[in-house]
Amino acid sequence: MKMKKILIGAGIAVIIGIASFFVLKNKDGDLKFRTEKVTRGDIEETITATGTVNAITTVLVGTQVSGTIKQIFVDFNSPVKKSQIIAQIDPTTFEAQVEQARANLLSARANLEKAEVTLIDAKRTMERNKELFKRNLIARSDLDTAETNYESSKAQVSAARAQVEQSNAALKFAETNLKYTRILSPVNGIVVSRNVDVGQTVAASFQTPTLFTIAEDLTKMQIDTNVNEADIGKIKEGQDVVFTVDAHPDITFKGKVFQVRNAPIIVQNVVTYDVVIQVDNSALKLKPGMTANASIITAKKTNVLKIPNAALRFKLSEKAPVKGEQKGPSGPAIWIIENGAPKRVKIKTGISDGNYTELISENITEGQELIVEALSKSKKQSSTTVPRMF
């Protein structure tokens, strides 16, 4: 009898233990949800791009003649004015060429004068022989010789005049080359780089060497950015841009889209387009060559309903109990809690800033809770934050 009671008690204990196990297991496995409210505020849709800060106009100053650098009058960061001399190539050889060309011109003019005198003499002889031939005092051959000499003298005068013009052109060419030994600034600006030193020989035989790089105006800069082909359709001239540079991470600079260039840039089958952004650099904090991390504002809405993007990404497990149909029509949708159970609601959205999306639908109101994450009881207990749960 005693043994029977013991067996019955043990059986009851086993049954209670099994029931408690399944009850506790089901309780621990229940899903809990973290939610966030629908809020009202501003949203900016942006496209990020990386580019390089450059001066709007950069002039490469070279030389058209070869020679040795005799003097340099400017250095890095030197302000220059238009037509200011910034370097001098040794002019000795070119000065000699000018003197030689000038002497050749004088010689050509003297030859022209000589030819003109000869022409006058030949003309007189021809006219005299014509009178003598009419009186039968000379032979026909003498008249022919005089006429031939006259025509030859005319040709020599023409040749001498051509030689004068040729010598004059040679003199101008030599004088131009001499002038080119003085390297002048073509614009007002600042010397960004200097690529030569005194005593260095520069050769302009095949390609014009770059001696200086001059930025015309560093108070106005531009950023050349590469925008992916998937985003280029949203970029328009005049759009606002904010950007930062590593040299001043705490400062947010502003600019505007100046130009969207049509020429594609293809690198390893990736197509991008050059978007030029103009910025004001009156404080001269931006320098040529800096890397800019830009955000182009393509759309902006104020005082609109917005929902967290996590709510749009949330998907409920198929095994979870839901209110209504879990698999709704395609398109954006969110999950809400209705009568203690999650419910899927299809919505219409607008622009997004990456964290929040504009809500256009009228079936969701401000302050309504949206499911952004499913949590188990154990996850809830171990969480360091205190989100709102349902």
Side-chain angles (χ1 to χ4, degrees), residues 176-188:
T176 300
N177 284 340
L178 176 60
K179 184 178 67 174
Y180 284 153
T181 60
R182 301 171 73 250
I183 309 301
L184 306 179
S185 172
V187 294
N188 298 330

PDB file of all heavy atoms in Angstrom, residues 176-188:
ATOM      1  N   THR A 176      60.602  87.961 -81.704  1.00  0.00           N
ATOM      2  CA  THR A 176      59.556  87.249 -80.959  1.00  0.00           C
ATOM      3  C   THR A 176      60.160  86.203 -80.043  1.00  0.00           C
ATOM      4  O   THR A 176      59.767  86.065 -78.869  1.00  0.00           O
ATOM      5  CB  THR A 176      58.564  86.594 -81.931  1.00  0.00           C
ATOM      6  OG1 THR A 176      57.960  87.591 -82.748  1.00  0.00           O
ATOM      7  CG2 THR A 176      57.476  85.841 -81.170  1.00  0.00           C
ATOM      8  N   ASN A 177      61.134  85.448 -80.551  1.00  0.00           N
ATOM      9  CA  ASN A 177      61.806  84.458 -79.715  1.00  0.00           C
ATOM     10  C   ASN A 177      62.532  85.123 -78.548  1.00  0.00           C
ATOM     11  O   ASN A 177      62.556  84.588 -77.433  1.00  0.00           O
ATOM     12  CB  ASN A 177      62.798  83.644 -80.544  1.00  0.00           C
ATOM     13  CG  ASN A 177      62.103  82.607 -81.411  1.00  0.00           C
ATOM     14  OD1 ASN A 177      60.952  82.230 -81.148  1.00  0.00           O
ATOM     15  ND2 ASN A 177      62.773  82.149 -82.451  1.00  0.00           N
ATOM     16  N   LEU A 178      63.121  86.295 -78.811  1.00  0.00           N
ATOM     17  CA  LEU A 178      63.776  87.023 -77.726  1.00  0.00           C
ATOM     18  C   LEU A 178      62.747  87.444 -76.683  1.00  0.00           C
ATOM     19  O   LEU A 178      62.997  87.371 -75.467  1.00  0.00           O
ATOM     20  CB  LEU A 178      64.499  88.244 -78.289  1.00  0.00           C
ATOM     21  CG  LEU A 178      65.168  89.161 -77.258  1.00  0.00           C
ATOM     22  CD1 LEU A 178      66.217  88.401 -76.468  1.00  0.00           C
ATOM     23  CD2 LEU A 178      65.770  90.385 -77.933  1.00  0.00           C
ATOM     24  N   LYS A 179      61.573  87.873 -77.137  1.00  0.00           N
ATOM     25  CA  LYS A 179      60.512  88.255 -76.202  1.00  0.00           C
ATOM     26  C   LYS A 179      60.034  87.060 -75.382  1.00  0.00           C
ATOM     27  O   LYS A 179      59.696  87.201 -74.200  1.00  0.00           O
ATOM     28  CB  LYS A 179      59.345  88.873 -76.982  1.00  0.00           C
ATOM     29  CG  LYS A 179      58.224  89.394 -76.091  1.00  0.00           C
ATOM     30  CD  LYS A 179      57.128  90.046 -76.918  1.00  0.00           C
ATOM     31  CE  LYS A 179      56.416  89.011 -77.780  1.00  0.00           C
ATOM     32  NZ  LYS A 179      55.254  89.585 -78.496  1.00  0.00           N
ATOM     33  N   TYR A 180      60.014  85.866 -76.001  1.00  0.00           N
ATOM     34  CA  TYR A 180      59.573  84.667 -75.301  1.00  0.00           C
ATOM     35  C   TYR A 180      60.538  84.236 -74.213  1.00  0.00           C
ATOM     36  O   TYR A 180      60.193  83.368 -73.383  1.00  0.00           O
ATOM     37  CB  TYR A 180      59.378  83.519 -76.287  1.00  0.00           C
ATOM     38  CG  TYR A 180      58.109  83.627 -77.110  1.00  0.00           C
ATOM     39  CD1 TYR A 180      58.035  83.043 -78.367  1.00  0.00           C
ATOM     40  CD2 TYR A 180      57.002  84.309 -76.627  1.00  0.00           C
ATOM     41  CE1 TYR A 180      56.877  83.144 -79.138  1.00  0.00           C
ATOM     42  CE2 TYR A 180      55.850  84.413 -77.389  1.00  0.00           C
ATOM     43  CZ  TYR A 180      55.790  83.829 -78.629  1.00  0.00           C
ATOM     44  OH  TYR A 180      54.639  83.927 -79.377  1.00  0.00           O
ATOM     45  N   THR A 181      61.754  84.774 -74.177  1.00  0.00           N
ATOM     46  CA  THR A 181      62.663  84.433 -73.086  1.00  0.00           C
ATOM     47  C   THR A 181      62.191  85.046 -71.773  1.00  0.00           C
ATOM     48  O   THR A 181      62.649  84.639 -70.705  1.00  0.00           O
ATOM     49  CB  THR A 181      64.093  84.920 -73.395  1.00  0.00           C
ATOM     50  OG1 THR A 181      64.096  86.345 -73.557  1.00  0.00           O
ATOM     51  CG2 THR A 181      64.622  84.268 -74.660  1.00  0.00           C
ATOM     52  N   ARG A 182      61.310  86.017 -71.838  1.00  0.00           N
ATOM     53  CA  ARG A 182      60.701  86.598 -70.642  1.00  0.00           C
ATOM     54  C   ARG A 182      59.369  85.885 -70.408  1.00  0.00           C
ATOM     55  O   ARG A 182      58.406  86.092 -71.129  1.00  0.00           O
ATOM     56  CB  ARG A 182      60.499  88.103 -70.805  1.00  0.00           C
ATOM     57  CG  ARG A 182      61.794  88.851 -71.077  1.00  0.00           C
ATOM     58  CD  ARG A 182      61.548  90.312 -71.444  1.00  0.00           C
ATOM     59  NE  ARG A 182      61.150  91.111 -70.279  1.00  0.00           N
ATOM     60  CZ  ARG A 182      59.941  91.611 -70.098  1.00  0.00           C
ATOM     61  NH1 ARG A 182      58.980  91.403 -71.004  1.00  0.00           N
ATOM     62  NH2 ARG A 182      59.669  92.324 -69.021  1.00  0.00           N
ATOM     63  N   ILE A 183      59.313  85.030 -69.396  1.00  0.00           N
ATOM     64  CA  ILE A 183      58.098  84.268 -69.094  1.00  0.00           C
ATOM     65  C   ILE A 183      57.161  85.162 -68.304  1.00  0.00           C
ATOM     66  O   ILE A 183      57.488  85.618 -67.202  1.00  0.00           O
ATOM     67  CB  ILE A 183      58.431  82.990 -68.294  1.00  0.00           C
ATOM     68  CG1 ILE A 183      59.547  82.195 -68.993  1.00  0.00           C
ATOM     69  CG2 ILE A 183      57.179  82.129 -68.135  1.00  0.00           C
ATOM     70  CD1 ILE A 183      59.225  81.761 -70.383  1.00  0.00           C
ATOM     71  N   LEU A 184      55.978  85.417 -68.870  1.00  0.00           N
ATOM     72  CA  LEU A 184      55.015  86.322 -68.260  1.00  0.00           C
ATOM     73  C   LEU A 184      53.802  85.557 -67.747  1.00  0.00           C
ATOM     74  O   LEU A 184      53.410  84.522 -68.313  1.00  0.00           O
ATOM     75  CB  LEU A 184      54.558  87.382 -69.277  1.00  0.00           C
ATOM     76  CG  LEU A 184      55.657  88.188 -69.963  1.00  0.00           C
ATOM     77  CD1 LEU A 184      55.033  89.170 -70.944  1.00  0.00           C
ATOM     78  CD2 LEU A 184      56.530  88.912 -68.950  1.00  0.00           C
ATOM     79  N   SER A 185      53.199  86.080 -66.700  1.00  0.00           N
ATOM     80  CA  SER A 185      51.970  85.483 -66.184  1.00  0.00           C
ATOM     81  C   SER A 185      50.804  85.854 -67.108  1.00  0.00           C
ATOM     82  O   SER A 185      50.597  87.032 -67.392  1.00  0.00           O
ATOM     83  CB  SER A 185      51.696  85.970 -64.765  1.00  0.00           C
ATOM     84  OG  SER A 185      50.414  85.528 -64.337  1.00  0.00           O
ATOM     85  N   PRO A 186      50.029  84.875 -67.560  1.00  0.00           N
ATOM     86  CA  PRO A 186      48.910  85.193 -68.451  1.00  0.00           C
ATOM     87  C   PRO A 186      47.659  85.691 -67.732  1.00  0.00           C
ATOM     88  O   PRO A 186      46.753  86.221 -68.364  1.00  0.00           O
ATOM     89  CB  PRO A 186      48.635  83.849 -69.147  1.00  0.00           C
ATOM     90  CG  PRO A 186      49.068  82.833 -68.150  1.00  0.00           C
ATOM     91  CD  PRO A 186      50.213  83.434 -67.385  1.00  0.00           C
ATOM     92  N   VAL A 187      47.598  85.509 -66.397  1.00  0.00           N
ATOM     93  CA  VAL A 187      46.392  85.880 -65.645  1.00  0.00           C
ATOM     94  C   VAL A 187      46.795  86.437 -64.283  1.00  0.00           C
ATOM     95  O   VAL A 187      47.936  86.307 -63.844  1.00  0.00           O
ATOM     96  CB  VAL A 187      45.454  84.660 -65.434  1.00  0.00           C
ATOM     97  CG1 VAL A 187      44.889  84.158 -66.737  1.00  0.00           C
ATOM     98  CG2 VAL A 187      46.192  83.547 -64.692  1.00  0.00           C
ATOM     99  N   ASN A 188      45.830  87.035 -63.630  1.00  0.00           N
ATOM    100  CA  ASN A 188      45.993  87.378 -62.216  1.00  0.00           C
ATOM    101  C   ASN A 188      45.712  86.140 -61.389  1.00  0.00           C
ATOM    102  O   ASN A 188      44.706  85.451 -61.608  1.00  0.00           O
ATOM    103  CB  ASN A 188      45.023  88.489 -61.804  1.00  0.00           C
ATOM    104  CG  ASN A 188      45.261  89.782 -62.557  1.00  0.00           C
ATOM    105  OD1 ASN A 188      46.386  90.068 -62.951  1.00  0.00           O
ATOM    106  ND2 ASN A 188      44.214  90.557 -62.758  1.00  0.00           N
TER     107      ASN A 188
END
